[in-house]
């Protein structure tokens, strides 16, 4: 799934201009302040995906397969939505409110990741999939499970506090997660 999904994702990013995308915005978005500290869980999400995949591959082949199916379903449904109903968000600050290492990291993120293809949020969908995968592991400590849940909550919050996603994108990820969980 990854070998097909990643090129398709970058193609949609490159070929669908922001002007052709529907802006996604909810009333809660205006109440959530920008906070650069959320770059830490946002970027940590990539590492957590890798840790989850490696752990499952080494310790639970069935869990690994289920998680891969879950990820593949979320990836391909999201790509279909990005193509059929292209979205963008216009929440990013035009000027960073502070000048520090974290805001520099957020600015770099903005340069790398466009503000299109945002609904549903894959950061949220993958995070909830990781929670499901870890919570099903019988030999994992309850403390690890609590950490994963708290980390996933931080990631889900990070997409709004970094102005990467609207609250609408977060909510739209939930039915996608339920579908992927059902298929997996």
């Amino acid at each position: 799934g990854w070998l097909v999904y990643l090129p398709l994702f970058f193609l949609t990013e490159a070929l669908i201009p922001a002007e052709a995308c529907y802006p996604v915005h909810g009333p809660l978005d205006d109440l959530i302040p920008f906070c650069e500290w959320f770059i830490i869980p946002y970027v940590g999400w990539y590492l957590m995906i890798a840790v989850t995949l490696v752990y499952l591959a080494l310790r639970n082949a069935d869990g690994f397969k289920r998680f891969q199916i879950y990820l593949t379903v979320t990836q391909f449904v999201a790509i279909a939505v990005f193509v059929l109903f292209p979205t963008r968000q216009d929440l990013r600050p035009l000027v960073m409110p502070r000048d520090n290492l974290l805001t520099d990291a957020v600015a770099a993120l903005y340069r790398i990741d466009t503000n299109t293809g945002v609904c549903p949020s894959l950061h949220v969908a993958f995070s909830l999939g990781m929670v499901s995968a870890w919570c099903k592991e019988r030999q994992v400590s309850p403390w690890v499970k609590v950490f994963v849940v708290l980390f996933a909550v931080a990631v889900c919050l990070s997409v709004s506090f970094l102005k990467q996603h609207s609250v609408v994108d977060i909510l739209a990820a939930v039915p996608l997660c339920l579908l992927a969980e059902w298929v997996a």
Side-chain angles (χ1 to χ4, degrees):
W2 289 98
L3 296 175
V4 176
Y5 163 73
L6 287 173
L8 286 176
F9 175 79
F10 289 115
L11 273 173
T12 62
E13 289 277 295
L15 298 178
I16 301 174
E19 305 79 47
C21 297
Y22 179 79
V24 179
H25 185 269
L28 284 177
D29 297 327
D30 298 329
L31 302 175
I32 299 170
F34 172 84
C35 179
E36 66 269 25
W37 284 95
F38 280 96
I39 192 71
I40 296 167
Y42 188 91
V43 173
W45 173 84
Y46 295 97
L47 178 62
M48 191 62 183
I49 290 172
V51 167
T52 302
L53 287 168
V54 169
Y55 174 85
L56 290 171
L58 296 175
R59 305 283 254 158
N60 182 349
D62 288 337
F64 177 78
K65 289 175 193 171
R66 274 193 310 274
F67 187 52
Q68 279 295 99
I69 291 168
Y70 177 97
L71 294 176
T72 301
V73 169
T74 59
Q75 290 166 337
F76 286 103
V77 170
I79 286 293
V81 172
F82 296 164
V83 170
L84 297 173
F85 186 70
T87 54
R88 74 170 194 266
Q89 55 80 6
D90 300 322
L91 303 168
R92 294 175 175 181
L94 298 176
V95 177
M96 289 294 166
R98 290 164 289 285
D99 183 21
N100 58 47
L101 182 62
L102 297 175
T103 55
D104 291 345
V106 175
L109 171 67
Y110 287 176
R111 286 190 298 274
I112 295 167
D113 190 9
T114 71
N115 66 333
T116 62
V118 294
C119 189
S121 168
L122 287 178
H123 261 74
V124 172
F126 287 13
S127 294
L128 296 179
M130 284 186 277
V131 166
S132 175
W134 282 99
C135 286
K136 289 175 185 163
E137 290 298 300
R138 290 191 181 121
Q139 61 273 32
V140 170
S141 155
W143 293 108
V144 170
K145 294 175 184 183
V146 167
F147 170 79
V148 171
V149 169
L150 293 175
F151 182 80
V153 168
V155 170
C156 293
L157 291 172
S158 77
V159 300
S160 284
F161 280 94
L162 292 178
K163 303 302 181 178
Q164 281 291 93
H165 288 279
S166 166
V167 172
V168 175
D169 305 333
I170 295 169
L171 296 175
V174 174
L176 175 58
C177 295
L178 294 173
L179 170 67
E181 187 71 24
W182 177 76
V183 172

